[in-house]
Amino acid sequence: MKFPLFKVHTDKTLALKNLEEVLDSGFLNEGEWVIELENQFKKYFNFNNLLAVNSCTSALTLALKISGVQEGDDVLTTSMTCVATNMPICNLGANPVWVDIDRNTGNIDFKNLEKSITKKTKALVCVNWAGYPCDLIELDKFCKDNNIKLIQDAAHSFGSTYKEKQLCHYSDFTCYSLQAIKHITSGDGGLLMCRNDEDFKRAKSLKWFGIDRESSKDEKGEWKGQRWETDIKEPGYKFHMNNISAAIGLSQIPHLEIIINSHRKNALLYERFLSDNDLLSFLSKPDECNPSYWVFTILLNNKINRDNVLESLNEIGIGAGVVHIPNHNYSCFSENSKDLPETDYFSRHQISLPCGWWLTTEDIDLISNHLLGILKNEYNKYFLEKML
């Protein structure tokens, strides 16, 4: 693809330098490189209760576990997301309870929450589609009023802000992705942020077999004493990040603001080049928010064949796509089937355009012009077929 939907940003020189130091050290497991990556992200997010883990899926699993989610419980969640959001719910033996979205945002619709909550509900998982924040203050209040935990799957929304704060300041748990196609990557990895100090303490233990790593290992990851001096009070997981991943992640820190700002700049260009056109619409966003636009999602007019548009764009080297399809359509979630008309509408009409640092103003202009031409052709075809 000439204009791919995703492209990993790499500082090859710094990444190789970091990796060489890690490999020369002979210590590849979690150690000082992971700690340094955590410290850098703590500064960026202005948030101290932060853990680096091996994936956003692991972060979500820890958040659900610490929220008390267990077999037979219900978790309110969105179907319009990657399966990685909802697999951890099932893997803990709980039930994903689908909450329909607002077709204008791609995010959970607040008005559908009250009719979805049950006595078995332990948590609400929300996703910030394409980097557009949910209405987090309303969601947080709803969760507090109903004594359940708010978990953000912020995989799409690294760097997004809401009322001038990073999104992690508005929920009990926030899970960011450092996976290969996200804004910032460590090859694969994730971040777990915990609002509550006790939850954070428990997360630090659970991410590594239930062992209190800080009391048993030093900053480099070496054992402070003998292994048998450590007690395990609760069985945990093997979810920690390693120094190799952290070394790659640290090579991206100097470029973090440039990467996020380029996504924002390109989104604004799309809004300028594609505005005032009845064949498409932009997503809505809450007041006082600044999305990080992982991709630029638009909704197509009812008379446009979405799949034809994608095929036409792909044929000329523009990597447009649908990113995710609704989870409730997968057979593995068949026991949780539910009528979700807004989710289905959004899924049928949405396309996402490449929006990242690898695109210039001229590229966005070219993509926009190609898209508008294809939409016009599809619109004319629709009426021609009606006449025949």
Side-chain angles (χ1 to χ4, degrees):
M1 285 289 174
K2 184 176 181 182
F3 304 110
L5 187 56
F6 304 114
K7 188 174 181 179
V8 178
H9 181 279
T10 53
D11 181 333
K12 185 177 177 181
T13 301
L14 184 53
L16 289 175
K17 176 178 177 294
N18 289 351
L19 286 169
E20 184 176 20
E21 288 187 36
V22 170
L23 295 173
D24 285 346
S25 74
F27 194 91
L28 310 186
N29 203 358
E30 182 180 25
E32 56 188 331
W33 289 84
V34 176
I35 292 171
E36 178 58 22
L37 184 66
E38 290 175 337
N39 287 337
Q40 291 294 327
F41 282 134
K42 286 175 183 179
K43 293 176 186 175
Y44 176 75
F45 289 105
N46 190 27
F47 199 95
N48 285 326
N49 289 351
L50 177 153
L51 286 176
V53 290
N54 58 6
S55 71
C56 186
T57 307
S58 296
L60 286 162
T61 302
L62 289 172
L64 290 162
K65 177 79 172 178
I66 295 167
S67 297
V69 174
Q70 55 190 344
E71 188 170 357
D73 287 336
D74 290 340
V75 177
L76 305 178
T77 186
T78 174
S79 170
M80 195 63 246
T81 183
C82 176
V83 292
T85 304
N86 293 311
M87 287 297 184
I89 299 171
C90 296
N91 289 335
L92 288 171
N95 308 304
V97 176
W98 309 121
V99 180
D100 211 356
I101 63 171
D102 180 344
R103 69 170 66 175
N104 298 307
T105 67
N107 292 334
I108 275 181
D109 192 344
F110 182 78
K111 70 175 181 288
N112 292 319
L113 287 173
E114 284 289 354
K115 58 187 179 185
S116 301
I117 196 166
T118 71
K119 291 182 179 179
K120 297 190 297 181
T121 302
K122 289 288 181 66
L124 162 63
V125 179
C126 67
V127 172
N128 307 301
W129 180 269
Y132 289 72
C134 297
D135 198 336
L136 294 169
I137 290 178
E138 278 199 341
L139 292 182
D140 192 32
K141 182 179 185 304
F142 171 83
C143 289
K144 286 175 178 174
D145 290 345
N146 288 279
N147 195 30
I148 62 174
K149 296 290 188 178
L150 176 58
I151 302 170
Q152 278 191 83
D153 180 342
H156 292 193
S157 50
F158 193 105
S160 295
T161 61
Y162 182 66
K163 298 190 183 297
E164 300 184 349
K165 288 185 180 180
Q166 294 283 344
L167 305 188
C168 52
H169 293 271
Y170 296 97
S171 55
D172 296 293
F173 302 95
T174 305
C175 306
Y176 287 101
S177 176
L178 303 177
Q179 190 257 352
I181 59 172
K182 297 304 190 296
H183 292 90
I184 305 298
T185 185
S186 59
D188 202 356
L191 302 174
L192 173 63
M193 334 276 265
C194 306
R195 179 157 57 187
N196 180 277
D197 291 342
E198 287 303 311
D199 288 343
F200 178 59
K201 182 178 179 181
R202 189 175 170 203
K204 285 194 291 184
S205 172
L206 284 176
K207 74 161 183 176
W208 198 61
F209 304 118
I211 298 173
D212 182 353
R213 193 178 179 94
E214 285 187 356
S215 66
S216 58
K217 289 204 168 189
D218 62 22
E219 196 172 76
K220 292 187 176 182
E222 303 287 355
W223 288 94
K224 292 179 180 178
Q226 296 300 323
R227 200 182 201 110
W228 49 83
E229 294 175 358
T230 301
D231 186 25
I232 298 176
K233 297 178 181 178
E234 180 182 13
Y237 305 90
K238 192 176 189 295
F239 285 168
H240 60 282
M241 182 181 280
N242 61 57
N243 281 343
I244 294 174
S245 294
I248 295 171
L250 282 166
S251 72
Q252 298 215 319
I253 296 295
H255 310 282
L256 196 157
E257 292 289 356
I258 294 171
I259 294 170
I260 301 296
N261 287 336
S262 66
H263 280 255
R264 289 184 173 135
K265 178 195 72 130
N266 287 334
L268 293 176
L269 288 171
Y270 276 128
E271 289 181 355
R272 188 208 308 173
F273 295 146
L274 298 174
S275 62
D276 300 322
N277 192 301
D278 293 338
L279 301 181
L280 62 88
S281 60
F282 303 134
L283 298 186
S284 303
K285 55 191 176 186
D287 293 335
E288 297 182 69
C289 82
N290 195 2
S292 57
Y293 301 100
W294 179 49
V295 289
F296 189 77
T297 298
I298 58 175
L299 299 178
L300 301 183
N301 184 294
N302 283 324
K303 297 177 177 61
I304 302 295
N305 186 312
R306 190 274 308 277
D307 292 342
N308 286 350
V309 172
L310 289 178
E311 288 176 11
S312 297
L313 288 169
N314 293 166
E315 284 174 2
I316 57 176
I318 298 171
V322 297
V323 184
H324 303 309
I325 64 173
N327 289 190
H328 70 282
N329 293 328
Y330 291 115
S331 298
C332 64
F333 295 116
S334 59
E335 293 183 5
N336 309 95
S337 60
K338 187 177 182 180
D339 186 28
L340 300 170
E342 297 298 297
T343 298
D344 291 333
Y345 179 94
F346 182 87
S347 177
R348 289 194 308 271
H349 294 87
Q350 59 102 359
I351 69 168
S352 290
L353 302 170
C355 192
W357 57 271
W358 56 96
L359 299 169
T360 64
T361 299
E362 291 74 20
D363 294 335
I364 301 296
D365 190 13
L366 182 65
I367 293 170
S368 299
N369 283 325
H370 278 304
L371 174 62
L372 292 174
I374 292 167
L375 292 180
K376 185 176 180 180
N377 286 340
E378 285 298 316
Y379 186 73
N380 291 337
K381 259 199 298 185
Y382 171 84
F383 280 102
L384 183 61
E385 289 169 0
K386 285 289 185 184
M387 291 172 62
L388 296 174

